[in-house]
Amino acid sequence: MKKSVLFLLLLMSFQLFSQEKANSVLTLSEFLGYVKTYHPIVKQANLIINNSEAKLLKARGAFDPKIEIDFDKKQFKEKEYYNKLNGAFKIPTYYGLEFKANFENNDGYYLNPESTVPTDGLYAAGVSASILKGLLINERMASLKQAKLFLNQAKEDQQILVNEILYNASLSYFKWLKTYNEKVVYQDFLENAEIRFKGTKKAFLEGDKAAIDTIEAGITLNERMLNLEKSRIKLVKSSLELSTFLWLNNNTPIELQEHIIPDENTLNSIDTTFNIALFNNADFDINNHPKVKSLRYKIESLQVDKNLKTNNLLPKLDVQYNFLTQKPRELNSLNVDNYKAGINFKLPLFLRKERGDLKLSKIKLQETKYENEVAKISIKNKIDALQQELSSFVTQSNYLANIVKDYNTLLNAEERKFFLGESSLFLVNYRESKLIETKLKAIVLENSFFEAKANLFKAAVISISEE
């Protein structure tokens, strides 16, 4: 897939140079490989994971240890009203506990008596805890859990988005292949019309054919030339559409050159390219589908939110206890006789806000569960339908192949009869028109078959491996 240098040189070569070279085949595998590696939208999809990783880092920051220093001083009319220094080191934990070490040193003429400490300062070491609300789950814990789930969800969403880009790119490739095959058909039959026109004109000059036959042969030749020109324009438009998916590593778009052609043997490699050669409905686990997994992570995240809202119904009861000492180097100086403790209790009387938040979270959770069940059924039914469609395409293709073969036999026989004088140019043109029509139907059917393969690739969100 990464035969980069040669391929890119072929794509970026000048038109004059390309006309001197033989045609170079761009396979579906090579094309999708370049799309997956260099397309800006694919790179943008990778940013989804980067964004979620940044949010996870941010959530983990809520548990970072903190150093706090608070200094406050007031001096007025040559009097030092107060001089207060308070430094703390805090370590928050996963559950509703926080460890804290503190140093306090205050002095001044108008210092509040409760702030009075020993001359060398006062040291404290203790812990604060949320006993009811916030012990088993709180905002910090919920944010961290949800950030981890969002990262997993982002990986699944990124795979879906990349798969969507590759799907759209493959449709453009199939359209390019279809218009190319149509142009080849018209080109081949234009050569037949030119040979027939020259033969008819020569026969007319020798007196073997009527003048009306040369007019009919000329009309057929012009029709073939008209159809060829129309198919050429379609091919140019499909080539330009395909070029929108081709980029270089530095975000430079590439314009497909005329000497680059699609792989006419795509039918033999499409299953390998899409990694669906061994795909089987019986082995397909819907629970491993990226869409279902993404919704499952979303459900788990909403469950965390519901647990948090349920916890918010509990009263707030925060307690703290700190040992006090003025000799921190002596461990026996920390005792229960010198301490600072506190209790904070809070409970809204009606809990209307908390009950409303809990009800909303339950509704969102139930909605997502319903969405997950619908997604499972929808994906399963779509894959089953595509498998049935692909089986039908194989049968239709066999019928069309036989029809093309029989029309080709009829045309060859009619041409022999025409040059032996036993048939008319009208019948030859009629046989040829039916053959062209059937060949074009076969091309359209093949394109529909390829699109169904791409739809299976998209519906199952299958990853293609880099070769």
Side-chain angles (χ1 to χ4, degrees):
M1 179 171 61
K2 293 187 176 180
K3 306 167 184 173
S4 310
V5 177
L6 177 60
F7 177 67
L8 294 179
L9 285 176
L10 288 171
L11 286 178
M12 300 180 67
S13 60
F14 292 101
Q15 183 67 28
L16 180 60
F17 179 71
S18 69
Q19 290 175 348
E20 296 174 356
K21 290 180 64 67
N23 288 337
S24 300
V25 176
L26 172 61
T27 66
L28 176 63
S29 177
E30 291 172 333
F31 170 65
L32 293 182
Y34 276 95
V35 174
K36 187 175 181 180
T37 305
Y38 300 119
H39 198 282
I41 301 299
V42 175
K43 294 180 179 179
Q44 181 182 355
N46 295 330
L47 294 179
I48 296 176
I49 297 179
N50 295 339
N51 182 62
S52 297
E53 287 175 342
K55 289 182 177 179
L56 177 58
L57 181 63
K58 179 181 177 182
R60 284 175 172 159
F63 298 92
D64 289 345
K66 296 178 179 64
I67 295 178
E68 298 178 357
I69 297 177
D70 185 14
F71 178 72
D72 198 9
K73 181 176 182 178
K74 182 177 180 180
Q75 183 86 20
F76 184 67
K77 291 184 178 181
E78 299 182 355
K79 281 188 179 182
E80 186 179 76
Y81 275 55
Y82 54 79
N83 189 346
K84 297 188 289 185
L85 174 64
N86 194 326
F89 178 67
K90 299 179 179 179
I91 304 177
T93 64
Y94 188 68
Y95 292 98
L97 298 174
E98 183 176 80
F99 297 97
K100 178 180 178 181
N102 189 76
F103 172 71
E104 188 177 4
N105 193 357
N106 308 317
D107 57 42
Y109 189 77
Y110 294 110
L111 186 69
N112 193 324
E114 71 175 14
S115 300
T116 301
V117 295
T119 305
D120 293 332
L122 185 65
Y123 297 86
V127 62
S128 61
S130 297
I131 302 300
L132 297 177
K133 178 181 176 181
L135 178 63
L136 299 179
I137 186 169
N138 51 51
E139 292 286 351
R140 290 183 308 187
M141 295 166 58
S143 295
L144 182 56
K145 286 182 178 180
Q146 289 178 323
K148 291 179 179 179
L149 292 169
F150 286 152
L151 178 58
N152 292 330
Q153 184 180 351
K155 291 178 181 178
E156 305 301 330
D157 292 340
Q158 184 253 7
Q159 186 178 345
I160 295 172
L161 184 54
V162 171
N163 182 273
E164 179 78 19
I165 296 299
L166 295 178
Y167 166 75
N168 291 329
S170 66
L171 293 185
S172 293
Y173 184 91
F174 298 146
K175 185 177 180 181
W176 180 46
L177 176 60
K178 173 177 172 288
T179 55
Y180 174 80
N181 286 334
E182 289 175 346
K183 181 176 178 291
V184 169
V185 169
Y186 285 122
Q187 182 70 55
D188 291 341
F189 283 99
L190 174 62
E191 294 175 4
N192 292 345
E194 288 175 342
I195 293 172
R196 195 176 299 122
F197 175 73
K198 290 177 181 179
T200 304
K201 185 175 181 181
K202 182 179 179 181
F204 165 70
L205 294 175
E206 293 175 353
D208 294 336
K209 294 292 182 183
I212 193 68
D213 288 335
T214 61
I215 295 175
E216 186 170 352
I219 291 173
T220 301
L221 177 61
N222 285 322
E223 285 181 345
R224 300 291 183 265
M225 294 173 67
L226 175 62
N227 290 331
L228 178 61
E229 180 62 19
K230 288 181 178 180
S231 65
R232 187 188 70 82
I233 293 299
K234 287 182 179 179
L235 179 59
V236 170
K237 291 172 66 177
S238 63
S239 299
L240 291 173
E241 181 180 329
L242 188 79
S243 296
T244 61
F245 291 95
L246 288 173
W247 296 74
L248 291 177
N249 194 29
N250 56 354
N251 293 334
T252 303
I254 304 172
E255 183 175 336
L256 201 67
Q257 299 298 320
E258 288 186 5
H259 70 283
I260 305 294
I261 62 173
D263 182 14
E264 295 180 74
N265 295 318
T266 299
L267 181 64
N268 298 327
S269 61
I270 186 170
D271 284 354
T272 303
T273 300
F274 280 149
N275 202 19
I276 57 176
L278 301 178
F279 183 84
N280 191 315
N281 284 19
D283 299 329
F284 178 68
D285 186 359
I286 191 66
N287 292 315
N288 289 330
H289 190 279
K291 176 66 175 178
V292 175
K293 290 173 71 176
S294 175
L295 287 172
R296 188 163 66 242
Y297 288 128
K298 185 178 180 180
I299 289 172
E300 291 179 20
S301 177
L302 290 173
Q303 184 65 52
V304 171
D305 183 68
K306 174 180 170 292
N307 293 341
L308 178 63
K309 298 298 190 295
T310 302
N311 185 263
N312 288 341
L313 295 175
L314 296 174
K316 180 180 179 181
L317 179 59
D318 295 341
V319 298
Q320 61 172 319
Y321 186 91
N322 298 276
F323 295 99
L324 302 177
T325 180
Q326 62 185 93
K327 299 177 181 179
R329 296 183 181 181
E330 299 178 10
L331 293 178
N332 58 3
S333 67
L334 297 174
N335 57 69
V336 295
D337 295 330
N338 301 314
Y339 66 90
K340 179 182 178 182
I343 296 177
N344 184 357
F345 180 82
K346 184 186 296 184
L347 174 64
L349 293 181
F350 300 111
L351 294 172
R352 285 182 287 199
K353 178 180 181 301
E354 290 74 9
R355 288 189 288 115
D357 287 340
L358 177 59
K359 188 173 183 179
L360 289 173
S361 68
K362 287 181 177 179
I363 292 173
K364 288 182 181 179
L365 179 60
Q366 192 60 50
E367 285 178 347
T368 309
K369 286 182 178 179
Y370 288 146
E371 183 182 355
N372 188 40
E373 293 304 316
V374 171
K376 285 182 179 180
I377 296 299
S378 177
I379 293 168
K380 184 178 182 302
N381 289 344
K382 189 169 186 178
I383 290 176
D384 289 342
L386 285 169
Q387 291 286 60
Q388 295 286 343
E389 186 178 5
L390 288 170
S391 298
S392 177
F393 276 135
V394 173
T395 303
Q396 294 178 50
S397 179
N398 291 334
Y399 289 145
L400 263 179
N402 291 331
I403 295 173
V404 169
K405 179 182 176 182
D406 292 342
Y407 268 128
N408 196 56
T409 301
L410 287 175
L411 176 61
N412 291 334
E414 205 65 48
E415 283 184 327
R416 286 196 298 270
K417 289 170 65 178
F418 172 72
F419 283 107
L420 291 174
E422 298 177 1
S423 181
S424 66
L425 189 59
F426 171 80
L427 285 176
V428 173
N429 289 337
Y430 174 77
R431 300 292 189 199
E432 188 178 68
S433 297
K434 296 300 290 184
L435 178 58
I436 293 173
E437 179 184 334
T438 308
K439 281 196 169 187
L440 294 177
K441 285 182 179 179
I443 292 172
V444 171
L445 180 64
E446 183 185 62
N447 183 73
S448 299
F449 180 72
F450 290 156
E451 288 183 355
K453 291 279 188 181
N455 284 325
L456 178 60
F457 166 75
K458 177 187 176 184
V461 192
I462 299 172
S463 298
I464 60 174
S465 59
E466 296 186 10
E467 298 175 358

